[in-house]
Amino acid sequence: MKRTALAAVLWLTLSLFSAQGQGIGIATTNGNATIAWPLTAYHYALQARANLTDTNAWTVLGSASPVTTAFVGNNLTVFTNFTTNSIFFTQPVASASQFFRLKGLAFVPVFSFAIFYDQPLEFSDSATIQFNGLIHANGPIYTGPGMNASQTFNGTVTTTSAITSPVRGGLTYTTSQIYFNATPPFVTNVPAFLPLIGTNHPHAIIDIPPSPAQEQVMSPSGQSRLYNQAQVVLLVTNGAAGSSPTVWVILQTAYNGILPGADASKVFIVLTNTTEAYLATNSFVKLSFLSFTNTFVDQRQSAGNQFVTQIDINRYNSWLQTNVLVAGKFTGGNYPVILYVADLRTNGSQQAVVRLINGAKLPYNNGLGFTMATMNPLYVKGNYNVTVDSNTYAMTLGSTTNGATVPAALMADAITILSPAWNDAQSMANYSVRNAVSMTVNAALLCGNVPSTGTTASTFSGGVHNLPRFLEDWSGVTLVLNTSLVCTFSSRIATSQFQFPGAYYEPPTRLWGFDTTILNPSKLPPGTPLYSLP
């Protein structure tokens, strides 16, 4: 519909909003044109162009969402003009025709959200906690602080459904201590963000891909898999009866935008002898960063002693810099920035897991960052990504900013934080003897949970504040977490239901903040998953 006032502009009704009878509206007064669109299009960008017949690109005028500003264009306006139901932008009326449209994001890095859930997002029964940055859920959001606690949201909260405070975990909540401080405070019924890997199998991002006949590496789903993106892949399988496990080490490069999975010159190393002595001394490989002799019990999982593939990050860094095969594979500034590990061993009810130790300093790669991905449950013991060299802290324990550390992510079936005081020998004892000490993790977290299946205590997920899992008594102890918290699938291996504190853990004092350095595209962790809008 074309309108002529002081200038000609176009009212475009988008199919996305046509069911609600909504679209872009134009009004002119006193030489100004006001362009308004539904508040539900909070994450969309307003674009303009002079005509629809030539090849001139659409100019992005701005967005209500800081995510759009960071990842769509430069020098965009973040609109502060809102009504209860709409967003509006005013500009002088042009002398020529001008056309406007709303454009959904072609992609958005999922870690650009402080919290992102591809399912119902529960804040139910949290201690006093404050959230900075944007929060989004492809599903309903449930709020409700615990007794004498409050919840504060300093970034806009968006959901494809509604925000309510229902009974969760067998408890009833009120809304009296819930504070939304952003403008707008929250937006409901927004369109869903869609994963590029597809919506049927979101766990696939951390799974081993099927054969090339079933899924091409360069297909959208193939490109989304961390296995294909990783430069170093470790696969652990059962060895012969009574022997140590067999390990496959795969080196593959990512060069000129070509995924490493398409690399025809992969280096394969197969180790059937993986005793500690062999891994430490064999001149050909020297995988001294790998260990298979540790074992412990996860009392949430109650799975008995677990198979553990343990990776010493400090030794892994040394291996990357000294091994001749690695040096020959990664040249010309092509650093390995993603490590993918899959422990495929089986033995009855025992579970295969991966654990990281000595991760205070991450592998050197000229500041590009480091991502650890696994299809298994992942355990992180001790401070992670807190130093720029072996002795100097880049941040103080207790800080909530991350300035000097490298971009980092941990992606797994489930993620459990173990303090530096964790002792495997005490894992079967009552949690009260497992006394945690303060620690810091500077990394975005992407993992699964065990979703709530009802409203009772035994059917509760634990909420986003328990997305990182715990197994120790953290009473009075601080966990600093500079992060983005992302849950896009249900756990497939670590599937035991959450239990309230007092069963196998006590929660830490959560000093958690969104790592705003991620909003700089050059500071995204390697392999950050991408989502899009329709």
Side-chain angles (χ1 to χ4, degrees):
M1 174 179 177
K2 200 167 188 179
R3 294 182 169 186
T4 56
L6 298 179
V9 292
L10 185 68
W11 184 333
L12 294 178
T13 300
L14 301 182
S15 60
L16 179 62
F17 304 106
S18 60
Q20 305 171 9
Q22 296 176 315
I24 296 179
I26 305 294
T28 58
T29 180
N30 298 325
N32 292 316
T34 297
I35 303 95
W37 64 98
L39 193 60
T40 49
Y42 177 78
H43 291 294
Y44 283 68
L46 177 68
Q47 297 182 330
R49 65 190 300 178
N51 62 68
L52 301 179
T53 59
D54 61 24
T55 59
N56 291 334
W58 288 89
T59 299
V60 181
L61 299 179
S63 171
S65 169
V67 166
T68 311
T69 301
F71 295 104
V72 170
N74 298 321
N75 303 315
L76 299 187
T77 300
V78 178
F79 297 118
T80 57
N81 303 314
F82 302 96
T83 67
T84 303
N85 298 310
S86 67
I87 306 163
F88 63 91
F89 170 68
T90 300
Q91 68 175 36
V93 174
S95 58
S97 296
Q98 192 169 20
F99 298 85
F100 300 95
R101 74 174 183 181
L102 293 180
K103 177 64 175 175
L105 295 170
F107 70 90
V108 58
V110 73
F111 291 141
S112 57
F113 292 89
I115 302 173
F116 183 99
Y117 264 53
D118 208 1
Q119 56 179 265
L121 169 56
E122 297 161 311
F123 296 95
S124 311
D125 200 47
S126 75
T128 294
I129 197 164
Q130 178 172 281
F131 300 94
N132 299 311
L134 294 179
I135 295 173
H136 176 80
N138 285 342
I141 293 179
Y142 302 134
T143 58
M147 185 177 297
N148 301 318
S150 64
Q151 294 172 347
T152 302
F153 301 91
N154 293 323
T156 297
V157 179
T158 59
T159 167
T160 60
S161 182
I163 301 174
T164 58
S165 298
V167 173
R168 307 303 284 177
L171 301 173
T172 301
Y173 304 99
T174 67
T175 60
S176 60
Q177 297 295 314
I178 303 173
Y179 307 99
F180 296 91
N181 294 332
T183 303
F186 53 81
V187 186
T188 60
N189 299 308
V190 302
F193 283 91
L194 305 176
L196 298 189
I197 198 170
T199 58
N200 293 330
H201 305 288
H203 196 278
I205 189 174
I206 57 170
D207 290 338
I208 296 175
S211 68
Q214 296 174 293
E215 178 186 273
Q216 293 296 312
V217 171
M218 296 307 294
S219 67
S221 57
Q223 293 185 57
S224 297
R225 292 185 186 268
L226 275 301
Y227 178 99
N228 288 335
Q229 297 182 52
Q231 293 81 29
V232 180
V233 175
L234 301 177
L235 303 178
V236 183
T237 61
N238 290 105
S243 69
S244 58
T246 297
V247 177
W248 288 70
V249 183
I250 305 171
L251 306 179
Q252 51 190 19
T253 58
Y255 184 69
N256 289 341
I258 299 175
L259 283 175
D263 179 11
S265 59
K266 292 181 183 179
V267 176
F268 295 89
I269 306 167
V270 183
L271 303 178
T272 56
N273 182 354
T274 54
T275 62
E276 302 291 326
Y278 181 86
L279 292 175
T281 61
N282 182 271
S283 59
F284 180 60
V285 270
K286 286 189 177 179
L287 301 182
S288 59
F289 62 88
L290 270 179
S291 172
F292 302 105
T293 58
N294 302 90
T295 187
F296 62 91
V297 173
D298 182 328
Q299 290 197 18
R300 170 170 173 171
Q301 288 302 113
S302 301
N305 287 328
Q306 305 185 85
F307 293 116
V308 181
T309 292
Q310 182 163 286
I311 298 170
D312 186 315
I313 294 295
N314 189 45
R315 291 183 176 181
Y316 175 69
N317 181 38
S318 297
W319 177 75
L320 290 177
Q321 297 185 55
T322 59
N323 185 272
V324 294
L325 295 175
V326 175
K329 185 65 175 173
F330 302 106
T331 59
N334 183 18
Y335 295 94
V337 295
I338 301 176
L339 169 63
Y340 180 89
V341 180
D343 191 330
L344 304 172
R345 290 177 291 172
T346 58
N347 184 14
S349 63
Q350 290 181 276
Q351 290 184 340
V353 305
V354 176
R355 182 164 66 181
L356 306 181
I357 64 171
N358 294 329
K361 177 185 177 183
L362 297 188
Y364 174 79
N365 48 43
N366 202 30
L368 296 176
F370 176 71
T371 288
M372 167 69 204
T374 176
M375 61 177 283
N376 300 98
L378 177 67
Y379 297 78
V380 180
K381 180 182 176 182
N383 291 307
Y384 193 82
N385 190 26
V386 297
T387 61
V388 290
D389 58 42
S390 59
N391 300 306
T392 305
Y393 274 84
M395 61 167 290
T396 303
L397 294 177
S399 171
T400 54
T401 58
N402 177 6
T405 53
V406 301
L410 301 166
M411 307 191 211
D413 181 75
I415 296 175
T416 301
I417 306 296
L418 303 175
S419 84
W422 172 267
N423 185 331
D424 288 347
Q426 296 177 333
S427 63
M428 294 184 64
N430 186 280
Y431 75 90
S432 62
V433 305
R434 300 193 297 271
N435 297 310
V437 297
S438 294
M439 62 175 282
T440 293
V441 173
N442 288 318
L445 307 184
L446 183 150
C447 59
N449 70 351
V450 182
S452 295
T453 56
T455 62
T456 65
S458 62
T459 59
F460 182 40
S461 76
V464 65
H465 41 293
N466 286 296
L467 182 66
R469 304 182 184 192
F470 307 103
L471 295 173
E472 297 167 272
D473 185 351
W474 288 79
S475 302
V477 175
T478 299
L479 171 63
V480 179
L481 189 57
N482 295 302
T483 189
S484 165
L485 295 174
V486 174
C487 181
T488 58
F489 49 79
S490 299
S491 299
R492 289 187 176 179
I493 299 175
T495 56
S496 293
Q497 196 75 35
F498 164 83
Q499 298 178 54
F500 278 93
Y504 50 83
Y505 84 109
E506 290 291 341
T509 298
R510 298 177 176 93
L511 190 55
W512 295 2
F514 173 53
D515 184 358
T516 56
T517 60
I518 292 175
L519 290 177
N520 178 344
S522 68
K523 298 295 185 180
L524 279 170
T528 297
L530 302 178
Y531 274 62
S532 66
L533 282 169

